[in-house]
Coordinates of all heavy atoms in Angstrom, one line a residue:
M1 N 89.3 120.0 122.6 CA 89.9 120.2 121.2 C 90.8 119.0 120.8 O 91.7 118.7 121.6 CB 90.7 121.5 121.3 CG 91.5 121.9 120.0 SD 92.3 123.5 120.3 CE 92.6 123.9 118.5
E2 N 90.6 118.6 119.6 CA 91.4 117.5 119.1 C 92.7 118.0 118.4 O 92.7 119.0 117.9 CB 90.6 116.7 118.1 CG 89.5 116.0 118.8 CD 88.8 115.0 117.9 OE1 88.9 115.2 116.6 OE2 88.0 114.1 118.3
T3 N 93.7 117.2 118.6 CA 95.0 117.6 118.0 C 95.3 116.5 116.9 O 95.1 115.3 117.1 CB 96.1 117.4 119.1 OG1 95.8 118.4 120.1 CG2 97.5 117.7 118.4
Q4 N 95.7 116.9 115.8 CA 96.0 116.0 114.7 C 97.5 115.5 114.9 O 98.3 116.3 115.1 CB 96.0 116.7 113.4 CG 96.3 115.8 112.2 CD 95.3 114.8 112.0 OE1 94.1 115.1 112.2 NE2 95.7 113.5 111.8
V5 N 97.6 114.2 115.0 CA 98.9 113.5 115.3 C 99.6 113.3 114.1 O 99.0 112.9 113.0 CB 98.7 112.2 116.0 CG1 100.0 111.4 116.2 CG2 97.9 112.4 117.3
Q6 N 100.9 113.6 114.1 CA 101.8 113.2 112.8 C 102.8 112.2 113.5 O 103.8 112.7 113.9 CB 102.4 114.5 112.4 CG 101.4 115.5 111.8 CD 102.2 116.6 111.4 OE1 103.3 116.8 111.6 NE2 101.5 117.5 110.5
P7 N 102.5 110.9 113.4 CA 103.4 110.0 113.9 C 104.7 110.0 113.5 O 105.7 109.7 114.2 CB 102.7 108.6 113.4 CG 101.3 108.9 113.2 CD 101.3 110.3 112.7
E8 N 105.0 110.5 112.3 CA 106.4 110.5 111.7 C 107.3 111.4 112.6 O 108.4 111.3 112.7 CB 106.4 110.9 110.3 CG 105.7 110.0 109.4 CD 104.2 110.2 109.3 OE1 103.7 111.1 110.1 OE2 103.5 109.7 108.5
K9 N 106.7 112.5 113.1 CA 107.4 113.4 113.8 C 107.2 113.4 115.3 O 108.3 113.7 116.0 CB 106.9 114.9 113.4 CG 107.2 115.2 111.9 CD 106.7 116.6 111.6 CE 106.8 116.8 110.2 NZ 106.3 118.2 109.7
D10 N 106.2 113.0 115.9 CA 105.8 113.1 117.2 C 105.8 111.8 118.1 O 105.6 111.9 119.3 CB 104.4 113.8 117.5 CG 104.3 115.0 116.7 OD1 105.4 115.7 116.4 OD2 103.2 115.5 116.4
S11 N 106.1 110.8 117.5 CA 105.9 109.5 118.2 C 107.1 108.7 118.5 O 108.2 109.0 117.9 CB 105.0 108.6 117.4 OG 105.8 108.0 116.3
P12 N 107.1 107.9 119.6 CA 108.2 107.1 119.8 C 108.1 105.7 119.0 O 108.9 104.9 119.3 CB 107.9 106.7 121.4 CG 106.5 106.8 121.5 CD 106.0 107.8 120.5
A13 N 107.2 105.7 118.1 CA 107.1 104.4 117.2 C 108.4 104.0 116.6 O 109.1 105.0 116.2 CB 106.0 104.6 116.2
D14 N 108.6 102.8 116.5 CA 109.7 102.3 115.8 C 109.7 102.3 114.3 O 108.6 102.2 113.8 CB 110.1 100.9 116.3 CG 110.3 100.8 117.8 OD1 110.9 101.7 118.3 OD2 109.8 99.9 118.5
L15 N 110.7 102.1 113.7 CA 110.7 102.1 112.1 C 110.3 100.8 111.7 O 109.7 100.6 110.6 CB 111.8 102.7 111.5 CG 112.2 104.2 111.7 CD1 113.4 104.5 111.0 CD2 111.0 105.0 111.0
G16 N 110.9 99.8 112.4 CA 110.7 98.4 111.9 C 109.5 97.7 112.6 O 108.8 98.3 113.6
P17 N 109.2 96.4 112.1 CA 108.0 95.7 112.7 C 108.5 95.2 114.0 O 109.6 95.0 114.4 CB 107.9 94.6 111.7 CG 109.3 94.4 111.1 CD 109.9 95.8 111.1
H18 N 107.3 94.8 114.7 CA 107.4 94.1 116.0 C 107.0 92.6 115.8 O 105.8 92.4 115.5 CB 106.5 94.7 117.1 CG 106.9 96.2 117.3 ND1 107.6 96.5 118.4 CD2 106.7 97.3 116.7 CE1 107.8 97.8 118.6 NE2 107.3 98.3 117.5
R19 N 107.9 91.7 115.9 CA 107.6 90.3 115.8 C 107.0 89.8 117.2 O 107.7 89.9 118.2 CB 108.8 89.5 115.4 CG 108.5 88.1 115.1 CD 109.7 87.5 114.3 NE 109.5 86.0 114.1 CZ 108.9 85.6 113.0 NH1 108.4 86.4 112.1 NH2 108.7 84.2 112.9
V20 N 105.8 89.4 117.3 CA 105.1 89.1 118.5 C 104.3 87.7 118.4 O 103.9 87.3 117.2 CB 104.1 90.2 119.0 CG1 104.8 91.5 119.2 CG2 103.0 90.4 117.8
R21 N 104.1 87.1 119.5 CA 103.4 85.9 119.6 C 102.0 86.3 120.1 O 102.0 86.8 121.2 CB 104.1 84.8 120.5 CG 103.4 83.5 120.7 CD 103.5 82.7 119.5 NE 102.9 81.4 119.6 CZ 102.7 80.5 118.6 NH1 103.1 80.9 117.4 NH2 102.1 79.4 118.8
L22 N 100.9 86.0 119.4 CA 99.6 86.3 119.7 C 98.8 85.1 120.1 O 99.0 84.0 119.6 CB 98.8 87.0 118.6 CG 99.4 88.2 118.0 CD1 98.6 88.7 116.9 CD2 99.5 89.3 119.1
T23 N 98.0 85.3 121.2 CA 97.2 84.0 121.6 C 95.8 84.2 121.0 O 95.1 85.1 120.8 CB 97.0 84.3 123.2 OG1 98.2 84.3 123.9 CG2 96.2 83.1 123.8
G24 N 95.5 83.0 120.4 CA 94.2 82.8 119.7 C 93.0 83.2 120.6 O 93.0 82.7 121.8
G25 N 92.0 83.9 120.0 CA 90.9 84.2 120.8 C 91.0 85.5 121.7 O 90.0 86.1 122.1
R26 N 92.2 85.9 121.9 CA 92.4 87.1 122.8 C 92.4 88.4 121.8 O 92.8 88.4 120.8 CB 93.8 87.0 123.5 CG 94.0 88.3 124.2 CD 95.5 88.2 124.9 NE 95.9 89.5 125.6 CZ 97.0 89.7 126.2 NH1 97.9 88.8 126.2 NH2 97.2 90.9 126.7
R27 N 91.7 89.5 122.4 CA 91.6 90.7 121.7 C 92.8 91.6 122.0 O 93.2 91.6 123.2 CB 90.3 91.4 122.1 CG 89.1 90.7 121.5 CD 87.8 91.4 121.8 NE 87.8 92.9 121.2 CZ 87.5 93.2 120.0 NH1 87.2 92.3 119.1 NH2 87.5 94.4 119.6
Y28 N 93.3 92.1 120.9 CA 94.5 93.1 121.0 C 94.1 94.5 120.6 O 93.2 94.6 119.7 CB 95.7 92.6 120.3 CG 96.3 91.2 120.9 CD1 95.7 90.1 120.4 CD2 97.2 91.2 121.8 CE1 96.3 88.8 120.9 CE2 97.7 90.0 122.3 CZ 97.3 88.9 121.9 OH 97.7 87.8 122.4
R29 N 94.9 95.5 121.0 CA 94.6 96.9 120.5 C 96.0 97.5 120.0 O 96.8 97.8 120.8 CB 94.1 97.8 121.6 CG 92.7 97.4 121.8 CD 92.0 98.2 123.1 NE 92.3 99.6 123.1 CZ 91.5 100.5 122.6 NH1 90.5 100.2 121.9 NH2 91.9 101.7 122.7
W30 N 96.0 97.5 118.6 CA 97.3 98.0 118.0 C 97.2 99.5 118.0 O 96.3 100.1 117.6 CB 97.3 97.4 116.6 CG 98.4 98.0 115.7 CD1 99.8 97.5 115.8 CD2 98.3 98.9 114.7 NE1 100.5 98.2 114.9 CE2 99.7 99.1 114.1 CE3 97.2 99.6 114.2 CZ2 99.9 99.8 113.1 CZ3 97.7 100.4 113.0 CH2 99.0 100.5 112.5
C31 N 98.4 100.1 118.3 CA 98.5 101.6 118.3 C 98.6 102.1 116.9 O 99.5 101.7 116.2 CB 99.8 102.0 119.2 SG 100.1 103.7 119.1
A32 N 97.7 102.8 116.6 CA 97.6 103.3 115.2 C 98.3 104.8 115.2 O 98.7 105.2 114.0 CB 96.2 103.4 114.7
C33 N 98.3 105.5 116.3 CA 98.8 106.9 116.4 C 100.3 106.9 116.5 O 100.9 108.0 116.2 CB 98.1 107.5 117.5 SG 98.7 107.1 119.1
G34 N 101.0 106.0 117.0 CA 102.4 106.0 117.3 C 102.9 106.6 118.6 O 104.0 106.6 118.8
L35 N 101.8 107.0 119.3 CA 102.3 107.8 120.6 C 102.5 106.8 121.8 O 103.1 107.2 122.8 CB 101.3 108.8 121.0 CG 101.1 110.0 120.0 CD1 99.9 110.8 120.4 CD2 102.4 110.8 119.9
S36 N 102.0 105.6 121.7 CA 102.1 104.6 122.8 C 103.5 104.3 123.2 O 104.4 104.2 122.3 CB 101.4 103.3 122.4 OG 101.6 102.4 123.4
K37 N 103.7 104.2 124.4 CA 105.1 103.9 125.0 C 105.2 102.3 125.2 O 106.1 101.8 125.7 CB 105.4 104.6 126.4 CG 105.5 106.1 126.0 CD 105.9 106.8 127.3 CE 106.0 108.3 127.1 NZ 104.9 108.9 126.3
R38 N 104.1 101.5 124.8 CA 104.0 100.2 124.9 C 103.8 99.5 123.4 O 103.1 98.7 123.2 CB 102.9 99.6 125.7 CG 103.0 100.0 127.1 CD 101.8 99.4 127.9 NE 101.5 98.1 127.7 CZ 100.4 97.6 127.2 NH1 99.4 98.4 127.0 NH2 100.2 96.3 127.0
Q39 N 104.6 100.2 122.5 CA 104.5 99.7 121.1 C 104.7 98.1 121.0 O 105.5 97.6 121.8 CB 105.6 100.3 120.3 CG 105.4 101.9 120.1 CD 104.1 102.2 119.3 OE1 103.6 101.4 118.4 NE2 103.4 103.2 119.6
P40 N 103.9 97.5 120.2 CA 103.0 98.0 119.1 C 101.6 98.2 119.7 O 100.6 98.4 118.8 CB 103.1 97.0 118.0 CG 103.2 95.7 118.7 CD 104.1 96.0 119.9
Y41 N 101.4 98.1 120.9 CA 100.1 98.1 121.5 C 99.6 99.5 122.0 O 100.5 100.3 122.6 CB 100.0 97.1 122.6 CG 100.4 95.7 122.2 CD1 101.4 95.0 122.6 CD2 99.5 95.0 121.3 CE1 101.8 93.8 122.1 CE2 99.9 93.8 120.7 CZ 101.1 93.1 121.2 OH 101.4 91.9 120.8
C42 N 98.3 99.8 122.1 CA 97.8 101.1 122.5 C 97.9 101.1 124.0 O 97.6 100.1 124.8 CB 96.3 101.1 122.1 SG 95.4 102.5 122.9
D43 N 98.4 102.3 124.5 CA 98.3 102.5 126.0 C 97.5 103.7 126.3 O 97.7 104.3 127.3 CB 99.8 102.7 126.6 CG 100.4 104.1 126.0 OD1 99.8 104.7 125.2 OD2 101.5 104.3 126.5
E44 N 96.6 104.1 125.4 CA 95.7 105.2 125.5 C 96.2 106.6 125.3 O 95.5 107.5 125.7 CB 94.8 105.0 126.9 CG 94.1 103.7 127.1 CD 92.9 103.5 126.1 OE1 92.4 104.5 125.5 OE2 92.8 102.3 125.6
S45 N 97.5 106.6 124.9 CA 98.1 107.9 124.7 C 97.5 108.7 123.7 O 97.7 109.9 123.5 CB 99.6 107.7 124.4 OG 100.3 107.3 125.5
H46 N 96.6 108.1 122.8 CA 95.9 108.7 121.7 C 94.9 109.7 122.2 O 94.3 110.5 121.4 CB 95.4 107.7 120.8 CG 94.3 106.9 121.4 ND1 94.5 105.7 121.9 CD2 92.9 107.1 121.5 CE1 93.4 105.2 122.4 NE2 92.4 106.0 122.1
R47 N 94.6 109.5 123.4 CA 93.4 110.3 124.0 C 93.7 111.9 123.9 O 94.8 112.4 124.1 CB 93.2 110.0 125.5 CG 92.6 108.7 125.7 CD 92.0 108.5 127.1 NE 91.5 107.2 127.1 CZ 90.9 106.7 128.3 NH1 91.1 107.3 129.4 NH2 90.5 105.5 128.2
G48 N 92.7 112.6 123.2 CA 92.8 114.0 123.0 C 93.2 114.2 121.6 O 93.3 115.4 121.1
T49 N 93.4 113.1 120.8 CA 93.7 113.2 119.3 C 92.5 112.6 118.6 O 91.6 112.2 119.1 CB 95.0 112.4 119.0 OG1 94.7 111.0 119.0 CG2 96.1 112.7 120.0
A50 N 92.5 112.7 117.2 CA 91.5 112.3 116.4 C 91.7 110.8 116.0 O 91.0 110.3 115.4 CB 91.5 113.1 115.1
M51 N 92.8 110.1 116.6 CA 93.0 108.8 116.3 C 92.6 107.9 117.4 O 92.3 108.2 118.6 CB 94.6 108.7 116.0 CG 95.0 109.5 115.0 SD 96.7 109.2 114.5 CE 96.5 107.8 113.4
D52 N 92.6 106.5 117.0 CA 92.1 105.5 118.0 C 92.8 104.2 117.7 O 93.3 104.0 116.6 CB 90.6 105.3 117.9 CG 90.0 104.6 119.1 OD1 90.9 104.2 120.0 OD2 88.9 104.4 119.2
A53 N 92.8 103.3 118.6 CA 93.6 102.1 118.3 C 92.7 101.2 117.4 O 91.5 101.4 117.2 CB 93.8 101.2 119.7
L54 N 93.3 100.2 116.8 CA 92.7 99.2 116.0 C 92.6 97.9 116.8 O 93.7 97.2 117.2 CB 93.5 99.0 114.8 CG 93.0 97.8 113.8 CD1 91.6 98.2 113.3 CD2 93.9 97.5 112.8
A55 N 91.4 97.5 117.1 CA 91.1 96.2 117.9 C 91.2 95.0 116.9 O 90.6 95.1 115.8 CB 89.8 96.2 118.6
F56 N 91.7 94.1 117.3 CA 91.8 92.8 116.3 C 92.1 91.6 117.2 O 92.5 91.7 118.3 CB 93.0 93.0 115.4 CG 94.4 92.9 115.8 CD1 95.1 91.6 115.8 CD2 95.0 94.0 116.5 CE1 96.4 91.6 116.2 CE2 96.2 93.8 117.0 CZ 97.0 92.6 116.9
Q57 N 92.0 90.4 116.6 CA 92.2 89.2 117.2 C 92.5 88.1 116.2 O 92.0 88.2 115.0 CB 91.1 88.7 118.3 CG 89.9 88.3 117.6 CD 88.8 87.9 118.6 OE1 88.3 88.7 119.5 NE2 88.4 86.6 118.5
Q58 N 93.2 87.0 116.7 CA 93.5 85.9 115.7 C 92.6 84.7 116.3 O 92.3 84.6 117.4 CB 95.0 85.5 115.8 CG 95.9 86.6 115.3 CD 95.8 86.7 113.8 OE1 95.5 85.7 113.0 NE2 96.0 87.9 113.2
S59 N 92.3 83.8 115.3 CA 91.5 82.7 115.8 C 92.4 81.5 116.4 O 91.9 80.7 117.3 CB 90.9 82.0 114.6 OG 91.7 81.7 113.6
E60 N 93.7 81.7 116.3 CA 94.6 80.7 116.8 C 95.9 81.4 117.2 O 96.2 82.4 116.8 CB 94.9 79.5 115.9 CG 95.5 80.1 114.5 CD 95.6 79.0 113.4 OE1 94.6 78.1 113.5 OE2 96.5 79.0 112.7
D61 N 96.7 80.6 117.9 CA 98.1 81.2 118.5 C 99.0 81.2 117.2 O 98.9 80.3 116.3 CB 98.7 80.1 119.4 CG 98.1 80.0 120.7 OD1 96.9 80.8 120.9 OD2 98.5 79.3 121.7
I62 N 99.5 82.5 117.1 CA 100.4 82.6 115.9 C 101.4 83.7 116.2 O 101.2 84.6 117.0 CB 99.5 83.1 114.7 CG1 100.3 83.1 113.4 CG2 98.7 84.5 115.1 CD1 99.3 83.4 112.2
T63 N 102.5 83.6 115.4 CA 103.6 84.7 115.5 C 103.5 85.4 114.2 O 103.4 85.0 113.2 CB 104.9 84.0 115.6 OG1 105.0 83.2 116.8 CG2 106.0 85.1 115.5
V64 N 103.4 86.8 114.5 CA 103.1 87.7 113.4 C 104.1 88.9 113.5 O 104.6 89.2 114.6 CB 101.7 88.3 113.3 CG1 100.7 87.1 113.1 CG2 101.4 89.0 114.5
A65 N 104.1 89.8 112.5 CA 105.0 91.0 112.6 C 103.9 92.1 112.5 O 103.2 92.3 111.5 CB 105.9 91.1 111.4
L66 N 103.9 92.8 113.7 CA 103.0 94.0 113.7 C 103.7 95.3 113.2 O 104.9 95.5 113.6 CB 102.3 94.1 115.1 CG 101.5 93.0 115.6 CD1 101.0 93.4 117.1 CD2 100.4 92.7 114.7
C67 N 103.0 96.2 112.6 CA 103.6 97.3 112.1 C 104.1 98.4 113.1 O 103.3 98.6 114.1 CB 102.6 98.1 111.1 SG 103.2 99.7 110.5
G68 N 105.3 98.7 113.0 CA 105.9 99.7 114.0 C 105.9 101.1 113.4 O 106.0 102.2 114.1
C69 N 106.1 101.3 112.0 CA 106.3 102.5 111.4 C 104.8 103.3 111.2 O 105.0 104.5 110.9 CB 106.9 102.4 110.1 SG 106.0 101.7 108.7
K70 N 103.8 102.6 111.3 CA 102.4 103.2 111.1 C 102.1 103.5 109.8 O 101.3 104.4 109.5 CB 102.2 104.3 112.2 CG 102.7 104.1 113.5 CD 102.0 102.9 114.2 CE 102.6 102.6 115.6 NZ 102.1 101.3 116.1
R71 N 102.9 103.0 108.7 CA 102.6 103.4 107.4 C 102.1 102.1 106.6 O 101.8 102.2 105.3 CB 103.9 103.8 106.7 CG 104.4 105.2 107.3 CD 105.6 105.6 106.5 NE 106.2 106.7 107.2 CZ 107.0 106.7 108.2 NH1 107.3 105.6 108.7 NH2 107.4 107.9 108.7
T72 N 101.8 101.0 107.3 CA 101.3 99.9 106.6 C 99.9 100.1 106.0 O 99.1 100.8 106.4 CB 101.2 98.6 107.7 OG1 100.7 97.5 106.9 CG2 100.2 99.0 108.7
Q73 N 99.7 99.5 104.9 CA 98.4 99.5 104.2 C 97.6 98.4 104.6 O 96.5 98.2 104.1 CB 98.6 99.5 102.6 CG 99.3 100.8 102.2 CD 98.6 102.0 102.5 OE1 97.4 102.3 102.1 NE2 99.2 103.0 103.2
A74 N 98.0 97.5 105.6 CA 97.3 96.4 106.0 C 97.3 96.3 107.5 O 97.8 95.3 108.0 CB 98.0 95.0 105.4
P75 N 97.0 97.4 108.2 CA 97.0 97.4 109.7 C 96.3 96.3 110.3 O 95.3 95.9 109.8 CB 96.5 98.7 110.0 CG 95.6 99.2 108.9 CD 96.2 98.4 107.7
P76 N 96.8 95.6 111.4 CA 97.9 96.0 112.2 C 99.3 95.3 111.6 O 100.3 95.5 112.3 CB 97.6 95.5 113.6 CG 96.8 94.2 113.3 CD 96.1 94.5 112.0
Y77 N 99.2 94.7 110.5 CA 100.4 93.9 110.1 C 101.4 94.7 109.3 O 100.9 95.5 108.6 CB 99.8 92.6 109.5 CG 98.8 91.9 110.2 CD1 97.5 92.1 109.8 CD2 99.1 91.2 111.4 CE1 96.5 91.4 110.5 CE2 98.1 90.5 112.0 CZ 96.8 90.6 111.7 OH 95.9 90.1 112.4
C78 N 102.7 94.2 109.4 CA 103.6 94.9 108.7 C 103.6 94.5 107.2 O 103.3 93.3 106.9 CB 105.0 94.4 109.2 SG 106.4 94.9 108.1
D79 N 103.6 95.3 106.3 CA 103.6 95.1 104.9 C 104.8 95.6 104.2 O 104.8 95.6 103.0 CB 102.3 95.8 104.2 CG 102.4 97.2 104.1 OD1 103.4 97.8 104.7 OD2 101.5 97.9 103.5
G80 N 105.8 95.8 104.9 CA 107.1 96.3 104.4 C 107.2 97.7 104.0 O 108.3 98.1 103.5
A81 N 106.2 98.5 104.5 CA 106.2 99.9 104.1 C 107.4 100.6 104.8 O 108.0 101.6 104.2 CB 105.0 100.6 104.6
H82 N 108.0 100.1 105.9 CA 109.2 100.7 106.6 C 110.4 100.7 105.7 O 111.3 101.4 105.8 CB 109.3 100.1 107.9 CG 109.7 98.7 107.8 ND1 108.9 97.6 107.7 CD2 111.0 98.1 107.8 CE1 109.4 96.5 107.6 NE2 110.8 96.7 107.7
K83 N 110.3 99.8 104.7 CA 111.5 99.7 103.8 C 111.6 100.7 102.7 O 112.5 101.0 102.2 CB 111.5 98.2 103.2 CG 111.8 97.1 104.2 CD 111.7 95.8 103.6 CE 111.7 94.6 104.6 NZ 111.5 93.3 103.8
T84 N 110.4 101.1 102.4 CA 110.3 102.0 101.2 C 109.9 103.5 101.5 O 109.9 104.3 100.6 CB 109.3 101.5 100.2 OG1 108.0 101.4 100.8 CG2 109.6 100.1 99.7
S85 N 109.6 103.8 102.9 CA 109.2 105.2 103.1 C 110.0 105.7 104.4 O 110.4 104.8 105.1 CB 107.8 105.3 103.4 OG 107.4 104.5 104.5
T86 N 110.3 106.9 104.4 CA 111.0 107.4 105.4 C 110.3 108.5 106.1 O 109.5 109.2 105.5 CB 112.4 108.1 104.9 OG1 112.2 108.9 103.9 CG2 113.3 106.9 104.4
P87 N 110.4 108.7 107.5 CA 109.8 109.9 108.1 C 110.0 111.2 107.4 O 111.3 111.4 107.0 CB 110.3 109.7 109.5 CG 110.9 108.5 109.7 CD 111.3 108.1 108.4
T88 N 109.2 112.2 107.6 CA 109.4 113.5 107.0 C 109.6 114.5 108.1 O 109.3 114.2 109.2 CB 108.1 113.9 106.2 OG1 107.0 113.8 107.0 CG2 108.0 113.1 104.9
Ligands
FES101 S1 98.1 105.1 122.0 FE1 98.2 105.0 119.8 S2 96.2 104.3 119.3 FE2 96.1 104.4 121.5

């Protein structure tokens, strides 16, 4: 049975972005559900829910801001949504 996750209420996700250094060519899995204890990356805590991680990679080494609030419209990157929306 799948459980619908409500990141705003149930997750340890942070409200702000995570500024991280990514290695070019390496694959990453961004936590979309908000349940991971290794934010902003997936630790498989989404298992048993209807959600899954977002796999992504960069072509070169780069520092980026990954979304922590899980409200971005440009996942996995922060788009500033944490500044304009609040958890319910
Ligand atoms: S733990 Fe959140 S998507 Fe995997």
